[in-house]
Amino acid sequence: MATLKDVARLAGVSVKTVSNVVNGYSFVKPDNRRRVEAALEATGYRPNLGARNLRRGRTGFIALVLPELSIPYFAELAGLVIAAAQEHEWNVLIEQTFGTLSGERLALASLGPHLVDAAILSPEALQADDFQLSVPAVLLGEHAVDVPISRVGIDNVAASMAAVRHLISLGRTRIAAIGAHPQRGTAALRLEGYRAALAEAGLDFDPSFVVPALNYHRADGAAAMKSLLDMRNPPDAVFCFNDLLAIGAMRAAAERFVRVPRDLAIVGFDNNEESVYSSPSLTSIAPDKAAIASAAVDLLHARAGSPDLVLDDVQTPFSLLVRESTVVR
Amino acid sequence: MATLKDVARLAGVSVKTVSNVVNGYSFVKPDNRRRVEAALEATGYRPNLGARNLRRGRTGFIALVLPELSIPYFAELAGLVIAAAQEHEWNVLIEQTFGTLSGERLALASLGPHLVDAAILSPEALQADDFQLSVPAVLLGEHAVDVPISRVGIDNVAASMAAVRHLISLGRTRIAAIGAHPQRGTAALRLEGYRAALAEAGLDFDPSFVVPALNYHRADGAAAMKSLLDMRNPPDAVFCFNDLLAIGAMRAAAERFVRVPRDLAIVGFDNNEESVYSSPSLTSIAPDKAAIASAAVDLLHARAGSPDLVLDDVQTPFSLLVRESTVVR
DNA sequence: CATCGTTGTTCCAACGATGTAAAGACCGAG
DNA sequence: CTCGGTCTTTACATCGTTGGAACAACGATG
């Protein structure tokens, strides 16, 4: 692999002159510039980013810490973050935590300023005192706890209210919720929206209609749905805190020959591509994932420039996409 | 951020002694070792990987070049590759090509030895002369063309035969295939397996039953299925070259009130998690993704050690998982 | 023709880590 | 008490790059 030295020797100039050409410094004699450019071409020179970043005091990487790539929401998001990061000449390093506290702590611990310039975090279990970060960071989702870090995401309460309002507008009155979680801030907010929408419509809040889910995987949704269907007086609608739970719930309903949406209307959250093609297709809250990704990256870029702690939370838009799982044909 | 120098000053020894302790060099006086370890602890020292790798002549990164993270198969695979790479102290850099030739060329071009130590490639459109790689690489999927690079993957012909044999064993005779593609080597092999299984059973090969798909997304599967259902004499079974196509096909069938599996049996390929929870659940060829990921990473690791070109192709196991989309209850 | 500012180039140090060689400490054998 | 060998530590160079200072060349100015 060619280095600056090689190019310099070939062009008959000093290393620094080559460096100047590579970095677009103005004052290089046209003649030398031509010779250097020819030598660059001839050697196929590509800068050693490690060395450059060592010298420049940056790494050229940002970390994306998320639970698991096999969760469609995070996979889609990761793809968008990678695309957004490219705009700022950043490479993305993905760390999976599998939603465990130890996994998240491990990921955070490995995030030194020598490895990444900044980090985007999607924590699920972290506590306040875990956030001893040495690089600028942005939180996706919610503040699990009160931590002085910028956040990017949608208004979970409003979005959840929109989802439940939609169910109410269909005439459903026995509306359950799947996805309560003791730790996750997001879950708390979605539950809050659920309760607010019920209250607004004068519907009673029935705690037995709120089913927890530990992992937000399809299996958890199916299990939760089964327990709801086992009730003496089962619900006629369910608001699931993400699409995977909803897909699992629909599967469980199908296994019990409960018809969706006639007997049971279902709303999800995240708008995975998968939900457009399920049978029935799934009504879902659709966050603008591209907006989330680019807002997060842009925030970090701004922060990296001026490290004075500007703490702002960015609200990204969302919409409710009504599909077959709530509309009786 | 603490450097070796800081630690050395605090412990009252030379920089190199600290380096020796950090790297587990044997001959350090217990007394010094203790002092250094205390200083390491006190400063919270973490090695600067950029500098270390600059000195060691490696980067600590491998690239994973794939079409798109929003495709579940690649998302799952990426997660497994990251996990496997951790075993060798490698970080993974994901590049998305979106399945286009220009995207793939761009990704390959950015892969200098200064950036990554090795690369795992899932190309779809690359030509033979694009493979001017400067780092060791492994191909996932198939050799699109004849290129001297190791490959990791399953026996696509055998797997496809297993899928189609299964359909034949159900008594289906009008078996279609969705996913033919002019460029992809994988598509050609799956088609070959399809034809072999038909021939083996004495069934005619009907070219009009082979439907191409450009992108292997759900939408392509749905469109292909619609065209099949529009035929005067539609198929009674379909072998889809991946699960997304199958999911799209099932959706299209449902929209036309074609019952799966009674009227139409469907087999997919990849065994996405999604396929376990669809209604009906999808029979699919299940490649051992974890085996693929770790085989690829291990191969690169071995190659990185001894760069003499040992070209071996690794066959990873697969299985056929029979689910509701092919079994009439 | 001495001086000056502008251009263009080079040399040197530094980023943080590690390999090498050589120096220093230590021990027992002669 | 010296020698030779094994431990143990250190100084120094180096990886590839860039910032800064120094230096050289140049025409323009007085």
Side-chain angles (χ1 to χ4, degrees):
Chain A
M1 198 62 185
T3 71
L4 281 185
K5 203 152 86 176
D6 302 326
V7 179
R9 185 167 21 205
L10 185 61
V13 297
S14 80
V15 175
K16 189 65 209 286
T17 297
V18 181
S19 170
N20 284 338
V21 170
V22 169
N23 291 291
Y25 183 66
S26 307
F27 303 126
V28 178
K29 263 201 192 141
D31 182 42
N32 274 344
R33 179 181 297 275
R34 238 176 292 117
R35 293 233 305 293
V36 169
E37 274 164 357
L40 284 171
E41 182 67 26
T43 54
Y45 170 79
R46 319 228 46 207
N48 180 321
L49 297 187
R52 168 180 287 178
N53 292 331
L54 171 60
R55 180 62 241 229
R56 286 191 177 160
R58 68 189 289 262
T59 69
F61 292 96
I62 60 174
L64 174 59
V65 179
L66 43 76
E68 213 173 326
L69 270 181
S70 64
I71 297 174
Y73 175 76
F74 289 111
E76 290 182 36
L77 197 65
L80 293 165
V81 167
I82 290 176
Q86 252 160 13
E87 311 269 305
H88 299 297
E89 299 196 299
W90 260 331
N91 276 108
V92 178
L93 252 138
I94 296 176
E95 305 253 7
Q96 301 184 99
T97 66
F98 300 99
T100 63
L101 183 54
S102 63
E104 294 185 346
R105 287 208 173 121
L106 205 66
L108 247 59
S110 77
L111 254 51
H114 53 279
L115 188 56
V116 295
D117 298 325
I120 299 176
L121 311 174
S122 259
E124 298 197 325
L126 284 177
Q127 308 299 316
D129 49 349
D130 287 322
F131 288 90
Q132 304 295 344
L133 291 170
S134 46
V135 294
V138 169
L139 237 52
L140 300 186
E142 292 309 317
H143 282 169
V145 282
D146 196 33
V147 162
I149 299 183
S150 295
R151 183 198 81 99
V152 172
I154 70 174
D155 181 341
N156 273 287
V157 177
S160 302
M161 282 187 75
V164 177
R165 269 196 201 120
H166 169 62
L167 291 173
I168 293 170
S169 77
L170 302 167
R172 312 284 167 145
T173 55
R174 310 181 46 74
I175 303 175
I178 295 179
H181 194 284
Q183 253 90 53
R184 302 188 193 179
T186 305
L189 291 175
R190 293 186 186 170
L191 191 59
E192 186 184 327
Y194 162 80
R195 294 191 63 161
L198 290 186
E200 179 186 69
L203 292 173
D204 278 345
F205 170 72
D206 180 351
S208 68
F209 268 1
V210 175
V211 189
L214 280 187
N215 279 315
Y216 283 36
H217 284 286
R218 298 177 186 84
D220 302 293
M225 192 71 239
K226 273 177 196 146
S227 78
L228 282 172
L229 293 176
D230 281 339
M231 294 175 68
R232 194 162 335 146
N233 213 338
D236 58 11
V238 197
F239 168 42
C240 297
F241 288 4
N242 80 355
D243 273 12
L244 289 190
L245 291 172
I247 292 284
M250 290 209 298
R251 172 77 206 174
E255 283 174 3
R256 300 282 182 99
F257 304 105
V258 171
R259 292 165 302 176
V260 177
R262 188 175 301 271
D263 305 332
L264 183 73
I266 300 190
V267 178
F269 205 113
D270 282 352
N271 190 38
N272 296 341
E273 171 85 355
E274 171 178 359
S275 308
V276 181
Y277 285 85
S278 63
S279 296
S281 57
L282 179 67
T283 294
S284 187
I285 294 288
D288 186 340
K289 293 168 202 139
I292 294 177
S294 60
V297 173
D298 290 348
L299 215 80
L300 289 179
H301 188 71
R303 182 76 53 83
S306 53
D308 35 335
L309 10 143
V310 190
L311 280 186
D312 44 353
D313 285 15
V314 179
Q315 293 270 359
T316 52
F318 68 89
S319 54
L320 173 73
L321 299 182
V322 178
R323 302 204 183 93
E324 295 163 356
S325 69
T326 57
V327 175
V328 181
R329 271 173 292 190
Chain B
M1 199 61 185
T3 71
L4 279 186
K5 202 153 87 176
D6 303 326
V7 179
R9 185 166 21 203
L10 184 61
V13 296
S14 80
V15 176
K16 189 65 212 283
T17 297
V18 181
S19 170
N20 284 339
V21 170
V22 170
N23 291 290
Y25 184 65
S26 306
F27 302 124
V28 178
K29 268 208 189 130
D31 182 41
N32 274 344
R33 181 180 296 274
R34 239 176 290 118
R35 292 232 306 291
V36 170
E37 273 163 357
L40 285 171
E41 182 69 25
T43 53
Y45 170 80
R46 321 228 47 208
N48 179 321
L49 298 187
R52 169 180 288 177
N53 292 331
L54 171 60
R55 181 63 244 236
R56 285 190 178 162
R58 66 189 291 260
T59 70
F61 292 97
I62 59 174
L64 174 59
V65 179
L66 43 75
E68 215 173 326
L69 270 181
S70 64
I71 297 175
Y73 175 76
F74 290 110
E76 291 182 37
L77 197 65
L80 293 165
V81 167
I82 291 176
Q86 250 159 14
E87 311 268 306
H88 299 298
E89 300 196 298
W90 260 331
N91 276 108
V92 178
L93 247 129
I94 297 176
E95 306 252 7
Q96 301 183 100
T97 66
F98 300 99
T100 63
L101 183 55
S102 62
E104 294 185 346
R105 287 207 173 124
L106 205 67
L108 246 59
S110 77
L111 254 52
H114 53 279
L115 188 56
V116 295
D117 298 325
I120 300 176
L121 312 174
S122 258
E124 298 197 327
L126 283 177
Q127 308 299 316
D129 48 351
D130 288 321
F131 288 90
Q132 303 296 343
L133 291 170
S134 46
V135 294
V138 170
L139 238 53
L140 301 187
E142 292 309 317
H143 282 167
V145 281
D146 195 32
V147 161
I149 298 183
S150 295
R151 185 198 80 100
V152 173
I154 70 174
D155 181 341
N156 272 288
V157 177
S160 302
M161 282 186 76
V164 177
R165 270 196 201 120
H166 169 63
L167 291 171
I168 293 171
S169 77
L170 301 167
R172 312 284 167 147
T173 55
R174 310 180 48 73
I175 303 174
I178 294 179
H181 193 284
Q183 252 92 53
R184 302 190 194 178
T186 305
L189 292 176
R190 293 187 187 170
L191 190 59
E192 186 184 329
Y194 162 80
R195 294 189 65 160
L198 290 186
E200 178 186 71
L203 292 174
D204 278 346
F205 170 73
D206 179 352
S208 68
F209 268 1
V210 175
V211 189
L214 278 188
N215 278 316
Y216 283 36
H217 284 285
R218 297 176 187 85
D220 302 294
M225 192 70 240
K226 274 177 194 144
S227 78
L228 282 172
L229 293 177
D230 280 340
M231 294 175 68
R232 195 166 329 151
N233 213 337
D236 59 9
V238 197
F239 168 41
C240 298
F241 289 2
N242 81 353
D243 273 13
L244 289 189
L245 290 172
I247 292 284
M250 290 210 297
R251 172 76 205 175
E255 283 173 4
R256 300 282 181 99
F257 303 105
V258 171
R259 292 164 301 177
V260 176
R262 187 175 302 269
D263 305 332
L264 183 73
I266 301 190
V267 178
F269 205 113
D270 283 352
N271 189 38
N272 297 341
E273 171 83 355
E274 172 179 357
S275 308
V276 182
Y277 284 85
S278 62
S279 296
S281 58
L282 179 67
T283 294
S284 187
I285 294 289
D288 186 339
K289 293 169 201 137
I292 294 176
S294 59
V297 173
D298 290 349
L299 216 81
L300 289 179
H301 188 72
R303 182 76 53 86
S306 54
D308 34 336
L309 8 146
V310 190
L311 281 186
D312 44 354
D313 284 17
V314 179
Q315 293 271 359
T316 52
F318 69 88
S319 54
L320 173 73
L321 299 181
V322 177
R323 301 206 183 92
E324 295 164 357
S325 69
T326 56
V327 175
V328 181
R329 275 174 289 191

